[in-house]
Amino acid sequence: MSANDAKLAGLNSLGKTYDFGINEGTVGPSVIDVSSLYAQTGQFTYDPGFTSTASCQSSITYIDGEEGTLLHRGYPIEQLAEKGNFVETCYLLLNGELPSRKELEEFETAITRHTMLHEQMNRFFHGFRRDAHPMAIMVGVVGALSAFYHDSTDINDPEQRKIASRRLVAKIPTIAAMAYKYSIGQPFVYPRNDLDYASNFLHMCFSVPCEEMNVSPTLARAMDRIFILHADHEQNASTSTVRLAGSSGANPFACIAAGIACLWGPSHGGANEAALEMLSEIGSVDNIPEFVKRAKDKDDPFRLMGFGHRVYKNYDPRARVMQQTCHEVLGELGIKDDPLLDVAMELEKIALNDEYFVEKKLYPNIDFYSGITLKAMGFPTTMFTVLFALARTVGWVAQWNEMVEDPSQRIGRPRQLYIGSPKRDYIDIAKR
Ligand code: SDX
């Protein structure tokens, strides 16, 4: 094959051969550019679930599913979780490089000073029933930000995009904490500028006006690390939703609200809530074999929540850090024998040695241990996906900016394989 040919992929369809360009990335699979396929062949590609489709080019996050590798702007997630902090990771995702001390100070000050919500937005919360799922509140209130911050909705103005990006990263913890407080009937707690991002969030969630609350540095560090682990993850379902919404020119607040709505599903961000409910349903290690049997039964819709991943066919690197964080939090809280953790660790051991899971390369994902950790920290299960959305907001915002700034970006508009009725004439009701 000549050097030129190496850049082309030949496709033989219906007796004709067509050539398509091959684009190489920095690392990972190359892509066959099929954007001219329909023009050349009159045919579409077909890839429901997008298992073999690259929707964009990106320099933000790289995942190697076989190796179990996750890089943010080239830095391994394990190193960012161990050596960095969430605000620094936000800067990295948004700007492409780790900040200097001065850059980090400016960024952190800007985020801290944008954590307050327009006072009138409090009324949105009071429109919900107290037992509303906090994710319903998140979708509604985040979307409503576009009704208050008109000065940062012009997506063609880089300065407005920067302001909207910082507002979203800064205000999402405040909105999440308010959703929690509203659900338990406690007064909202204002953010404090003397606390770091994670401590501020925990303070807004767990402090009450009647007494001072000192946030545990260990729990704050664990919260910060959990935010890092959830910050971004390539073109997952909710990120793809944000990109598709953004491709129409919708404002950033509406796009992030769309991402939150998508993340809510139990196959995606809702899995941490579902995983904890599953562990509670299993109840004891004695019941594990029955549930593993059900997970393997094609006729049973039950799946092991927190297991499996579209990309990772190896251990999710975030799950390892999550497991370590889980043990640290339980240790800090003096929880010696958490029955849910016992079930989780035994379930993991059984599943990792079961031929069904081995053959299908189903490993624990980030959602497997996060639920136990968050429950131990005092969050109700309904808040688990809210915390995922809080952390993922910076990833969505970074991906949205990259999409808007991409000169090749056009409105996303997939086609279909039509399997409905051929053309037919209307039938009067008297003749039906
Ligand atoms: C997240 O994309 C991302 O990056 C997402 C995420 C992020 O950071 O944004 O990483 C966050 O969403 C993690 C995933 C959380 N979801 C869960 O834990 C829910 C349980 N997992 C599954 O529903 C499933 O594994 C998915 C949805 C995660 C992945 O689904 P795929 O890639 O479409 O795989 P599949 O459904 O085609 O399953 C392949 C096979 C099937 O068996 P066969 O039809 O081939 O016989 O594996 C089986 C499935 O039945 N299978 C499972 C299973 N997951 C897949 N069997 C039992 N238990 C499971 N959990």
Side-chain angles (χ1 to χ4, degrees):
M1 184 188 295
S2 73
N4 289 335
D5 291 350
K7 292 297 178 204
L8 290 177
L11 170 72
N12 189 303
S13 174
L14 305 175
K16 285 185 72 178
T17 300
Y18 306 88
D19 285 335
F20 299 95
I22 293 176
N23 302 340
E24 300 282 352
T26 316
V27 63
S30 57
V31 297
I32 300 173
D33 182 347
V34 294
S35 49
S36 66
L37 179 82
Y38 180 58
Q40 288 194 57
T41 70
Q43 293 173 286
F44 298 138
T45 59
Y46 182 65
D47 184 15
F50 310 121
T51 51
S52 302
T53 295
S55 61
C56 63
Q57 58 186 21
S58 177
S59 57
I60 298 172
T61 291
Y62 173 71
I63 302 172
D64 182 325
E66 298 306 323
E67 294 297 315
T69 302
L70 169 56
L71 308 177
H72 289 319
R73 303 288 191 179
Y75 296 100
I77 188 67
E78 299 88 341
Q79 294 182 27
L80 292 172
E82 184 194 337
K83 299 174 179 172
N85 62 58
F86 182 64
V87 170
E88 181 185 71
T89 302
C90 289
Y91 184 98
L92 174 66
L93 290 170
L94 291 170
N95 298 287
E97 298 295 335
L98 286 170
S100 66
R101 198 179 299 278
K102 185 169 179 294
E103 288 165 334
L104 181 58
E105 200 175 287
E106 184 279 328
F107 181 71
E108 190 151 32
T109 302
I111 295 298
T112 301
R113 294 189 181 286
H114 282 81
T115 47
M116 281 182 72
L117 211 52
H118 189 295
E119 192 67 11
Q120 210 176 310
M121 293 197 75
N122 291 5
R123 297 182 195 163
F124 281 112
F125 292 83
H126 293 284
F128 290 97
R129 286 172 43 140
R130 289 285 179 177
D131 61 356
H133 195 293
M135 283 296 278
I137 297 176
M138 292 293 286
V139 173
V141 175
V142 170
L145 289 170
S146 45
F148 282 82
Y149 298 103
H150 305 96
D151 60 341
S152 62
T153 52
D154 176 359
I155 66 161
N156 300 306
D157 177 348
E159 188 55 24
Q160 290 196 32
R161 290 205 303 272
K162 179 178 170 183
I163 293 168
S165 302
R166 289 182 168 196
R167 274 174 166 158
L168 279 158
V169 171
K171 297 180 193 305
I172 199 77
T174 309
I175 295 169
M178 291 170 78
Y180 171 56
K181 283 301 201 187
Y182 185 74
S183 72
I184 59 174
Q186 287 188 0
F188 298 141
V189 175
Y190 286 99
R192 278 177 35 182
N193 291 351
D194 61 322
L195 297 178
D196 63 65
Y197 195 90
S199 301
N200 207 359
F201 174 66
L202 292 175
H203 185 263
M204 288 190 283
C205 287
F206 298 121
S207 75
V208 289
C210 328
E211 59 187 25
E212 277 306 307
M213 175 204 170
N214 296 314
V215 177
S216 150
T218 305
L219 296 185
R221 179 70 189 125
M223 189 82 264
D224 192 85
R225 195 183 304 148
I226 291 169
F227 289 160
I228 293 172
L229 295 176
H230 289 80
D232 190 53
H233 212 239
E234 202 210 64
Q235 304 311 318
N236 58 84
S238 53
T239 296
S240 299
T241 300
V242 170
R243 278 181 172 261
L244 196 56
S247 73
S248 75
N251 73 71
F253 306 109
C255 295
I256 301 308
I260 295 172
C262 176
L263 186 75
W264 195 356
S267 287
H268 189 15
N272 52 18
E273 180 177 347
L276 196 88
E277 282 159 7
M278 175 193 74
L279 293 172
S280 304
E281 187 186 356
I282 294 173
S284 89
V285 294
D286 301 335
N287 299 332
I288 290 174
E290 174 213 334
F291 281 86
V292 169
K293 184 167 174 286
R294 283 185 56 195
K296 293 154 63 171
D297 178 356
K298 294 299 317 136
D299 298 324
D300 189 328
F302 174 78
R303 284 194 166 183
L304 287 185
M305 302 314 281
F307 264 81
H309 198 278
R310 170 62 58 76
V311 176
Y312 289 123
K313 301 310 173 190
N314 197 324
Y315 216 102
D316 181 338
R318 303 168 297 174
R320 287 194 199 288
V321 182
M322 197 65 246
Q323 186 190 51
Q324 173 203 331
T325 304
C326 183
H327 287 293
E328 285 172 13
V329 167
L330 295 181
E332 166 74 6
L333 296 169
I335 300 173
K336 296 277 182 288
D337 50 354
D338 181 329
L340 292 181
L341 181 63
D342 295 342
V343 171
M345 295 187 71
E346 183 61 20
L347 175 59
E348 179 184 7
K349 195 161 64 177
I350 292 173
L352 292 183
N353 292 292
D354 182 290
E355 64 180 42
Y356 173 90
F357 293 91
V358 172
E359 182 239 323
K360 293 183 186 299
K361 298 184 176 179
L362 302 173
Y363 291 85
N365 58 50
I366 189 165
D367 294 306
F368 190 62
Y369 283 103
S370 56
I372 299 168
T373 311
L374 297 173
K375 177 175 179 290
M377 293 175 80
F379 292 104
T381 52
T382 51
M383 277 295 291
F384 292 2
T385 311
V386 170
L387 298 178
F388 195 149
L390 187 169
R392 185 53 58 88
T393 292
V394 66
W396 290 328
V397 167
Q399 300 269 354
W400 171 79
N401 275 294
E402 184 177 66
M403 184 272 302
V404 172
E405 290 157 12
D406 180 348
S408 66
Q409 180 265 325
R410 304 167 67 190
I411 188 167
R413 207 286 187 207
R415 301 303 301 274
Q416 64 180 12
L417 174 68
Y418 178 68
I419 56 171
S421 168
K423 185 179 174 186
R424 52 184 170 167
D425 293 329
Y426 183 83
I427 302 168
D428 289 339
I429 192 161
K431 295 178 183 167
R432 291 179 211 160

